[in-house]
Amino acid sequence: MIDHESHVLILDGFKVDKLSNFKSLVWTFASLLGVPMVQNHLGHKVIEVYDRGGESIEEGSRYHQTRQGAYVHNDGVSDPLPIDYLILACGQKALLGGESILIDASAVYAELMAFPEVLEELKCDFFFENRGMSEDEQLFKAPILSFSSEGIPLIRYFRVYIESAHLKAGVPLTAAQTQALDFLDTVLNQSSVQHRVLLEPEQVLISADNKFLHTRTHFIDMNAPRSEINEAERLSDLNRYMLRIWLRKQ
Amino acid sequence: MNINVSNFRQEVSKVRLSKVAFAELLTVRELFEIGSQGVRFDTKVAYINPLQSSVLSEELNRI
């Protein structure tokens, strides 16, 4: 269904009480669905998405450690090989905000067909970085826009990481590249291509990562942020809490 | 290249595992928890026996 029809779906009914049970249930489900991928330099294959109360994204934090809304992006931008599926499981929602914004790459492509020079630029290589994936910083090149063998548009995009990678490479973005990113961002911010959902506890979002971009809105939690959470805690006592898993096909 | 943009959907599909499939998932989880005690849980993966968890297996394939 995800590969050939909707590219994204929400699975409901993952009802558990304690955090430890939630983790093992979501992990069991995900590892039956695909091969979990490493997501950081520590080798972790499950990432807990919640506000630690630390630095901002601009100061170097990764998106999942903050409560900031972010730029529209895919998750699999830090690895030269794309991930196939993003799993985002909701353990608790925020007091306010934290909506997921979902955008089909095909819709973005359809909007940009009126600007062929922008599409051509996006098909060329940009620099990306392996932020958070390894202690050894590596840059690599990849196009933002490509196509599957069936002709479905695929997007690899996280503007902050691209700009950072170009700075580190000593290769500033050209005026044409910057303009192409501006056009892409403008389309990504149009309500006509966006679908908003507020994930509820017990819901699991599954998306084909390079066919469906996403972001979230800024959120405010019920309680003060914490850097660590006890496994024995009840989900109902937590601030906004998600588990993120990246999968490749079996 | 013929670009296929026909797959765009505005609505996000919402689905739910059947009761039987969810019960089978809980059983697989129990087996996984027994086999992964003492280690960080994401260092091992769960396995499904399609004969013992046929409904779950079928519903996972549909996703």
Side-chain angles (χ1 to χ4, degrees):
Chain A
M1 183 187 282
I2 295 173
D3 282 330
H4 302 293
E5 294 177 31
S6 62
H7 301 165
V8 65
L9 66 82
I10 291 172
L11 199 59
D12 214 338
F14 281 64
K15 186 173 184 178
V16 289
D17 52 357
K18 285 195 308 184
L19 176 57
S20 57
N21 293 338
F22 181 66
K23 283 183 176 180
S24 65
L25 182 64
V26 172
W27 173 253
T28 299
F29 169 76
S31 61
L32 296 178
L33 201 62
V35 180
M37 308 310 300
V38 169
Q39 296 189 51
N40 64 18
H41 68 286
L42 299 172
H44 295 163
K45 295 178 179 175
V46 174
I47 292 293
E48 296 172 281
V49 181
Y50 65 93
D51 180 26
R52 273 76 164 173
E55 294 179 326
S56 67
I57 297 171
E58 291 76 12
E59 292 167 329
S61 277
R62 291 185 76 185
Y63 170 56
H64 65 264
Q65 299 167 330
T66 76
R67 63 188 176 103
Q68 290 175 260
Y71 306 94
V72 177
H73 65 278
N74 318 100
D75 275 15
V77 294
S78 302
D79 188 323
L81 287 175
I83 60 175
D84 291 316
Y85 308 120
L86 160 69
I87 305 282
L88 198 59
C90 179
Q92 186 54 264
K93 61 181 179 180
L95 174 67
L96 187 65
E99 278 187 321
S100 295
I101 299 176
L102 308 168
I103 301 170
D104 195 318
S106 295
V108 176
Y109 181 79
E111 289 283 335
L112 287 175
M113 284 175 78
F115 309 100
E117 70 284 2
V118 170
L119 289 176
E120 287 309 307
E121 199 64 48
L122 296 175
K123 290 178 197 170
C124 297
D125 279 345
F126 286 74
F127 277 102
F128 288 82
E129 63 182 11
N130 64 337
R131 187 186 292 209
M133 300 296 288
S134 166
E135 289 185 341
D136 299 323
E137 193 169 79
Q138 291 181 340
L139 304 178
F140 60 93
K141 288 180 179 178
I144 291 173
L145 174 66
S146 59
F147 299 91
S148 73
S149 56
E150 299 130 321
I152 296 173
L154 310 174
I155 291 184
R156 170 192 286 272
Y157 189 56
F158 200 142
R159 182 161 184 163
V160 174
Y161 289 11
I162 293 170
E163 290 175 339
S164 169
H166 273 263
L167 273 178
K168 289 171 183 171
V171 182
L173 288 166
T174 65
Q177 286 175 318
T178 300
Q179 184 186 45
L181 300 188
D182 289 344
F183 270 68
L184 178 55
D185 278 339
T186 301
V187 171
L188 292 171
N189 283 318
Q190 287 183 176
S191 61
S192 59
V193 302
Q194 294 184 347
H195 188 85
R196 289 184 177 226
V197 293
L198 181 62
L199 284 180
E200 298 284 342
E202 304 179 20
Q203 289 186 332
V204 177
L205 176 83
I206 309 170
S207 78
D209 185 62
N210 57 3
K211 295 173 186 160
F212 230 96
L213 299 99
H214 66 274
T215 187
R216 65 150 190 252
T217 60
H218 184 89
F219 64 87
I220 294 172
D221 277 320
M222 177 79 75
N223 307 303
R226 290 180 290 169
S227 58
E228 296 203 10
I229 300 174
N230 189 315
E231 300 261 316
E233 289 197 52
R234 297 170 62 84
L235 291 174
S236 56
D237 294 334
L238 300 183
N239 283 335
R240 186 183 189 271
Y241 181 93
M242 306 272 176
L243 291 178
R244 187 184 74 194
I245 302 173
W246 296 343
L247 299 177
R248 290 209 172 107
K249 292 176 187 174
Q250 303 269 17
Chain B
M1 182 183 285
N2 182 26
I3 306 304
N4 180 1
V5 295
S6 63
N7 284 324
F8 172 52
R9 299 279 188 279
Q10 272 288 354
E11 292 301 318
V12 178
S13 306
K14 288 186 181 174
V15 297
R16 181 182 282 262
L17 291 177
S18 67
K19 283 185 178 176
V20 175
F22 195 74
E24 290 178 353
L25 177 62
L26 293 177
T27 302
V28 176
R29 181 187 68 166
E30 283 175 24
L31 295 171
F32 166 73
E33 285 179 338
I34 291 168
S36 62
Q37 284 177 349
V39 297
R40 185 182 152 95
F41 72 102
D42 64 355
T43 56
K44 292 197 169 190
V45 294
Y47 293 99
I48 189 169
N49 181 338
L51 296 176
Q52 293 175 340
S53 307
S54 58
V55 178
L56 175 61
S57 184
E58 188 183 323
E59 293 189 17
L60 285 173
N61 285 334
R62 283 210 296 266
I63 290 174

